[in-house]
Amino acid sequence: MSQQRFMRRGITKIFWLKEIHATAQTPTRAELSRPNATELTEAISDVEGWALTNEAIETPDLSSTFTSSIPGEDKAEDSSFTFYEDKVSDDVEQLLPKGAKGWVVFLRKGDVPGSKSMDVFPAQVASRSAQYNTGNEAAKFQVSYTITDPPALDVAVPAASPKPLPVHPDHPDDDAVDVTVVAAATVSAHDDD
């Protein structure tokens, strides 16, 4: 199997969404945009958790010494982001106070419309705490989350919104588009002997 492998840094995007109105718990393109969505990617230093696991149930029986198992409860791991702390701004802190509810959205392969690489985690901020140290490193703080409902995994990234045609500054109310056709002439060179 041929693969085009990649590193998540520089490709994967992470968003915090305040609301999702779709019944399928997956965002539309409008919901994946401002002011509903805030991209967190550039502020994140480290990612932990954000995975769905299953606790298997052992099912041994008398006929064999092998202990078989069946799928049990699904569970989301404890999850967190470590953010760089901004010396001047507190935008991230204001966005993610303790108790804040929303959705964490991962675009694993970047913002590629139609790619089934979007994971959506309904989440609540459980805690936020500064990290203190005397080392030679940037100041950081950690935000821990609880996953409040089953996540939607491998969802298609919504289609990009069409961009409107540019409006002529002298005629902003014109709906028509002026098209000027210029005749093309074919010129050929002949050698004169």
Side-chain angles (χ1 to χ4, degrees):
M1 177 188 300
S2 177
Q3 291 183 312
Q4 184 176 345
R5 298 176 184 176
F6 67 98
M7 182 171 68
R8 294 224 180 272
R9 282 173 52 196
I11 300 292
T12 299
K13 295 182 179 294
I14 302 174
F15 294 84
W16 172 257
L17 274 60
K18 296 175 185 174
E19 296 182 1
I20 292 181
H21 295 294
T23 56
Q25 296 251 343
T26 57
T28 62
R29 175 57 62 173
E31 291 168 338
L32 202 54
S33 305
R34 285 194 167 274
N36 186 56
T38 302
E39 185 173 354
L40 303 174
T41 314
E42 289 186 11
I44 292 176
S45 163
D46 195 21
V47 179
E48 292 182 25
W50 306 106
L52 191 64
T53 60
N54 184 273
E55 296 189 10
I57 301 169
E58 293 186 353
T59 55
D61 61 66
L62 198 56
S63 68
S64 172
T65 57
F66 176 77
T67 300
S68 60
S69 61
I70 60 172
E73 296 177 339
D74 288 334
K75 181 180 178 183
E77 295 183 7
D78 292 339
S79 302
S80 68
F81 293 130
T82 301
F83 292 95
Y84 289 107
E85 192 164 355
D86 190 311
K87 188 176 181 180
V88 178
S89 169
D90 62 354
D91 289 348
V92 177
E93 293 92 328
Q94 292 296 320
L95 182 70
L96 301 171
K98 179 179 172 64
K101 293 181 180 179
W103 286 262
V104 172
V105 177
F106 290 84
L107 302 182
R108 299 194 316 267
K109 299 178 184 180
D111 192 351
V112 182
S115 170
K116 292 187 176 180
S117 57
M118 179 170 66
D119 295 335
V120 183
F121 291 83
Q124 182 173 7
V125 175
S127 66
R128 191 185 73 223
S129 56
Q131 296 182 335
Y132 297 102
N133 63 71
T134 58
N136 185 31
E137 63 179 280
K140 300 173 186 176
F141 63 93
Q142 187 178 59
V143 178
S144 298
Y145 299 81
T146 55
I147 311 304
T148 57
D149 283 301
L153 306 177
D154 302 323
V155 178
V157 177
S161 301
K163 295 190 176 184
L165 292 173
V167 176
H168 192 282
D170 295 334
H171 307 286
D173 297 330
D174 288 353
D175 291 334
V177 177
D178 292 332
V179 177
T180 304
V181 178
V182 178
T186 303
V187 177
S188 59
H190 298 284
D191 291 332
D192 293 334
D193 292 331

